[in-house]
Amino acid sequence: MDSRNRRWLPRLVAELRQGGVFVAVGALHLTGPAGLLEGLRRHGYAVYPEPP
């Protein structure tokens, strides 16, 4: 999972910079220090959970 996240993160960041993007991924892509949420934080995005 970590290697897939590393490969996808640059493309995800590029798409987000263009705007108008909806991203859906499985839950395992989001967690941990190599997850997409931490990766986006390292790229300067403010990432936080929505309240229930």
Side-chain angles (χ1 to χ4, degrees):
M1 196 64 57
D2 294 351
S3 64
R4 291 175 78 185
N5 287 344
R6 280 192 298 276
R7 285 194 314 267
W8 271 103
L9 190 59
R11 181 170 180 183
L12 179 59
V13 168
E15 294 289 333
L16 289 170
R17 285 185 180 145
Q18 290 181 11
V21 177
F22 175 83
V23 178
V25 299
L28 289 177
H29 287 283
L30 301 175
T31 61
L36 292 177
L37 297 179
E38 285 301 320
L40 290 170
R41 286 182 181 116
R42 286 191 300 273
H43 278 87
Y45 287 88
V47 180
Y48 51 89
E50 286 289 322

